[in-house]
């Protein structure tokens, strides 16, 4: 059974700091790894999608990497801003999306 | 980009009543839609996969007769919570799969804004 785990569950950092969110998955059969952002009481916003043939994707201050052999993905956020405060979810896709529990990020001004 | 809407965004109902939630893909056709449930401070759990013109596929532990899914057109899927009880209170999110990207392995799901259901 595919499981997706995210560490840490919550993270609080001062504005401007670079940070890394971690995601691990148990099934190497996944073919996509996706990172989402969720604001309180809202739906999901897709941030980055990494296909299994890729190692990383970048969008602005965000960089996501994928290592299928170790079953890990990381989301790197550079120069964090208060507006980055949200819950970040990773999801592995192997036919259907399996979500991790999320990391609740708080960036303090 | 592709947009998925949900209606209503919030609903409060009395225990024992039924509630219908709509999920629409606004600018693309979605042969497959997915329904998720999210409890506070928890992740999204897939409830069922809805395929246009056929019966939905439910995940283990999800009651088919309680959560009725209809996918009658390529742009609309509905989830009806029948005889709702307070434990059904949750955040329900749908997504629609867009096959416009080339290759099955690059298919993308677009998520709706969610529906907050509160059963009194």
């Amino acid at each position: 059974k595919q499981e997706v785990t995210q560490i840490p569950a919550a993270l609080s950092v001062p504005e401007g700091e670079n940070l890394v969110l971690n995601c691990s998955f148990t099934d190497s059969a996944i073919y996509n790894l996706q990172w989402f952002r969720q604001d309180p009481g809202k739906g999901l916003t897709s941030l980055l999608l990494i296909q299994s043939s890729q190692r990383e994707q970048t969008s602005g201050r965000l960089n996501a990497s994928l290592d299928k052999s170790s079953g890990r993905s990381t989301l790197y956020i550079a120069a964090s801003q208060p507006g980055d405060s949200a819950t970040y979810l990773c999801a592995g896709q192997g036919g259907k999306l399996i979500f991790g529990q999320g990391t609740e990020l708080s960036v303090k001004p | 980009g592709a947009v998925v809407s949900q209606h209503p965004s919030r609903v409060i109902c009395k225990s024992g009543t039924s509630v219908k939630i709509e999920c629409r893909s606004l600018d693309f056709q979605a042969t497959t839609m997915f329904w998720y449930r999210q409890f506070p401070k928890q992740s999204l759990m897939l409830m069922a996969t809805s395929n246009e013109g056929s019966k939905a596929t439910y995940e283990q532990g999800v009651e088919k007769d309680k959560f009725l899914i209809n996918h009658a057109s390529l742009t609309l899927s509905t989830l009806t919570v029948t005889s709702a009880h307070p434990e059904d209170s949750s955040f329900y999110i749908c997504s629609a799969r867009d096959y416009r990207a080339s290759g099955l392995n690059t298919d993308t799901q677009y998520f709706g804004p969610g529906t907050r259901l509160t059963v009194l």
Side-chain angles (χ1 to χ4, degrees), chain B residues 6-118:
Chain B
Q6 280 185 243
H7 178 80
S9 58
R10 294 186 181 189
V11 58
I12 301 173
C13 68
K14 294 182 179 179
S15 184
T17 61
S18 294
V19 175
K20 180 184 284 189
I21 302 170
E22 293 185 348
C23 177
R24 292 181 185 272
S25 58
L26 298 185
D27 51 1
F28 66 98
Q29 293 182 333
T31 54
T32 304
M33 290 184 173
F34 303 87
W35 287 96
Y36 297 85
R37 180 167 55 184
Q38 184 180 35
F39 291 107
K41 297 293 184 180
Q42 295 187 26
S43 191
L44 277 75
M45 298 298 296
L46 180 65
M47 298 176 65
T49 301
S50 169
N51 294 298
E52 187 266 337
S54 63
K55 291 183 178 180
T57 303
Y58 290 80
E59 295 299 303
Q60 190 174 7
V62 178
E63 299 177 57
K64 301 179 183 181
D65 295 333
K66 182 165 187 62
F67 299 99
L68 301 179
I69 292 173
N70 183 275
H71 193 160
S73 78
L74 288 171
T75 59
L76 173 64
S77 176
T78 60
L79 168 67
T80 301
V81 183
T82 62
S83 186
H85 291 283
E87 58 265 31
D88 298 324
S89 298
S90 188
F91 193 54
Y92 292 87
I93 303 177
C94 73
S95 70
R97 176 178 281 167
D98 181 5
Y99 279 108
R100 289 180 295 179
S102 60
L104 176 62
N105 288 356
T106 62
D107 68 289
T108 300
Q109 289 185 34
Y110 294 95
F111 285 79
T115 296
R116 173 74 59 193
L117 170 62
T118 303

Side-chain angles (χ1 to χ4, degrees), chain A:
Chain A
K1 178 183 176 182
Q2 171 73 278
E3 290 187 357
V4 179
T5 305
Q6 290 186 246
I7 296 174
L11 181 64
S12 181
V13 300
E15 181 177 4
E17 192 163 298
N18 301 326
L19 57 100
V20 175
L21 307 181
N22 297 290
C23 173
S24 61
F25 47 92
T26 56
D27 188 356
S28 61
I30 68 162
Y31 51 79
N32 287 340
L33 193 292
Q34 200 162 358
W35 284 92
F36 295 87
R37 168 183 173 141
Q38 185 177 31
D39 292 289
K42 305 293 185 181
L44 303 183
T45 300
S46 180
L47 298 174
L48 290 164
L49 169 67
I50 312 174
Q51 299 172 32
S52 60
S53 59
Q54 299 172 326
R55 283 193 170 270
E56 64 178 316
Q57 283 286 325
T58 298
S59 175
R61 294 182 294 107
L62 306 180
N63 176 277
S65 67
L66 174 63
D67 184 345
K68 285 194 64 179
S69 61
S70 65
R72 294 183 180 179
S73 176
T74 61
L75 178 65
Y76 175 83
I77 303 177
S80 59
Q81 303 171 358
D84 295 330
S85 298
T87 295
Y88 290 81
L89 295 161
C90 71
Q93 184 158 25
K96 54 188 177 184
L97 279 175
I98 305 297
F99 284 84
Q101 318 92 301
T103 293
E104 188 174 352
L105 173 65
S106 175
V107 181
K108 304 295 186 183

